[in-house]
Amino acid sequence: MKVLITGGAGFLGSHLADAFLSRGDNVICLDSGSIAKIKHNFDNPRFTYVHDTVLNEAMVDSLVGQVDLVYHLAAVVGVEHYVADPYAVLNVNINGTQIVLRAAYKHNKKVVFSSTSEVYGRNPKIPWSEDDDRVLGSTRIDRWCYSTSKAAGEHFCFAYHKLGLPVVVLRYFNVYGPRLDALDRGRVVTIFLGQALRNRPITVVGDGSQTRCFTYVDDAIRASVEAGLREEAVGRIFNIGSDREYTIGDLAEKIVRLSGSQSEIVFVPQEKVYGDSYEDVPRRVPDVTLMQQVLGVRAETPLEEGLRCTIDYFRKQLEDDEAAV
Ligand code: UDP
């Protein structure tokens, strides 16, 4: 089988490419970003890398025409971008998705769309199942532009599904692991790890009682592969995640302990980190029944075990970076 992964050089995309390559499939990776996470596949004759943006409609059309299955992951992701450059988030995420779906419809290729737990916003009814409401703040709060962009993408998926296109929507819950973002940047795990490995203060936003369900990347990828392969997944949405809930305060303590760091944990007001255009999500927990029943996957990697692998990866990266200076 031949698989196109848009955003295939990113965190999830690079792991998804590895998973399909190890099944013996062919992978085309379309990405406009850094090659750091995929260069280990450059010698593999079943791996093709195309450096281009998902907004290049002619390129997307040509690549979609060559494959059996499309994973659309190319997107602007990360809270720092939602508040710093909402235009890029909305433009790439909404227009990129339309371009991919238009090509998939033309060539009749199944699309697995990478969405997000952020779609549920701050719905207080926990846990969230796939048909639950979206509860978002004002459009004056830039944080919600990502949620809105992905929800628009989901609507486009289901509009095309009505026209006969096979689509699957995956909502990821705080996936972490090796190759996540880069130390000090992106999501909370890499920010805390950058601080812990350098023995700097760990910046917990607010009082640290907000919760997340951290999902180890291998679990998320197993579910994602099944979503592409299983006929019964078509036309559905799946929460992809663990349902073990941790506070951000817990996460900070675990990272300090597991990395052997000297860091102290400090509490900082959210405006100081993200400015006025940010609102936090107080609790985020998926109902994972559908993932388990239809995709046959449980996200069972314990947080401590996943964090150990992630810490080992980033510690080595830091050592390599320091050796290169
Ligand atoms: N967070 C934190 N300190 C930081 C960065 C993030 O306490 O330096 C918190 C953030 O306020 C949120 C949680 O960690 O409650 C997860 O943030 P992330 O940016 O990873 O993504 P989110 O889950 O909010 O989409």
Side-chain angles (χ1 to χ4, degrees):
M1 185 166 64
K2 205 164 184 179
V3 183
L4 170 65
I5 306 175
T6 74
F11 166 53
L12 280 176
S14 68
H15 284 280
L16 195 60
D18 291 353
F20 276 106
L21 290 170
S22 64
R23 275 172 35 90
D25 296 310
N26 290 280
V27 172
I28 302 178
C29 158
L30 172 71
D31 205 299
S32 57
S34 153
I35 57 166
K37 295 172 186 174
I38 48 161
K39 53 180 194 294
H40 60 282
N41 285 324
F42 279 5
D43 290 339
N44 188 329
R46 288 184 286 104
F47 182 77
T48 307
Y49 168 62
V50 178
H51 182 89
D52 207 337
T53 162
V54 73
L55 299 177
N56 182 343
E57 185 147 12
M59 175 61 80
V60 170
D61 182 75
S62 138
L63 297 177
V64 168
Q66 298 170 38
V67 299
D68 307 296
L69 173 62
V70 178
Y71 280 82
H72 175 43
L73 283 83
V76 179
V77 185
V79 172
E80 61 184 337
H81 300 295
Y82 317 158
V83 296
D85 195 353
Y87 174 76
V89 172
L90 292 162
N91 182 37
V92 173
N93 299 3
I94 296 178
N95 294 325
T97 300
Q98 287 196 71
I99 287 170
V100 170
L101 288 170
R102 206 153 38 227
Y105 184 64
K106 178 175 155 195
H107 298 284
N108 193 28
K109 302 293 167 66
K110 179 174 175 180
V111 177
V112 181
F113 175 59
S114 167
S115 187
T116 170
S117 52
E118 183 86 4
V119 161
Y120 298 102
R122 51 178 186 214
N123 185 340
K125 183 209 143 278
I126 294 285
W128 300 329
S129 45
E130 286 80 353
D131 289 334
D132 280 342
D133 291 343
R134 291 183 285 132
V135 180
L136 306 186
S138 158
T139 52
R140 302 308 301 269
I141 302 292
D142 292 326
R143 193 240 159 84
W144 303 116
C145 71
Y146 178 67
S147 174
T148 302
S149 74
K150 287 291 185 177
E154 292 192 14
H155 271 301
F156 273 112
C157 285
F158 291 117
Y160 273 100
H161 183 58
K162 252 193 175 148
L163 300 174
L165 183 72
V167 294
V168 185
V169 170
L170 304 182
R171 292 183 180 153
Y172 293 103
F173 280 71
N174 290 81
V175 184
Y176 72 99
R179 301 187 210 144
L180 176 66
D181 301 316
L183 271 189
D184 310 311
R185 290 199 13 245
R187 284 155 275 193
V188 65
V189 170
T190 32
I191 294 175
F192 283 0
L193 260 178
Q195 294 166 336
L197 294 177
R198 296 186 170 89
N199 297 310
R200 294 184 186 147
I202 309 279
T203 55
V204 170
V205 168
D207 65 1
S209 64
Q210 66 274 37
T211 69
R212 296 293 186 271
C213 292
F214 295 97
T215 306
Y216 191 58
V217 64
D218 290 359
D219 295 330
I221 293 300
R222 279 188 298 123
S224 308
V225 170
E226 292 303 324
L229 301 180
R230 293 194 185 202
E231 192 51 43
E232 55 277 30
V234 168
R236 305 183 91 151
I237 303 171
F238 296 92
N239 288 336
I240 302 297
S242 156
D243 56 1
R244 281 290 309 271
E245 189 180 13
Y246 291 92
T247 69
I248 295 301
D250 281 344
L251 177 75
E253 279 169 22
K254 280 190 196 306
I255 287 182
V256 170
R257 182 166 48 79
L258 295 172
S259 63
S261 169
Q262 306 296 314
S263 295
E264 57 165 339
I265 295 175
V266 298
F267 295 88
V268 290
Q270 62 179 47
E271 315 77 67
K272 237 179 135 177
V273 185
Y274 297 113
D276 293 337
S277 233
Y278 176 74
E279 283 174 355
D280 215 328
V281 173
R283 284 183 79 191
R284 180 183 283 166
V285 184
D287 178 325
V288 290
T289 311
L290 265 188
M291 176 179 79
Q292 293 177 359
Q293 285 179 352
V294 181
L295 304 181
V297 174
R298 283 171 190 273
E300 54 207 2
T301 306
L303 180 57
E304 299 213 348
E305 188 183 320
L307 282 177
R308 275 201 192 92
C309 297
T310 312
I311 291 167
D312 287 350
Y313 170 85
F314 281 107
R315 199 192 295 281
K316 171 143 193 338
Q317 274 229 321
L318 194 61
E319 283 164 8
D320 290 351
D321 289 353
E322 281 168 0
V325 174

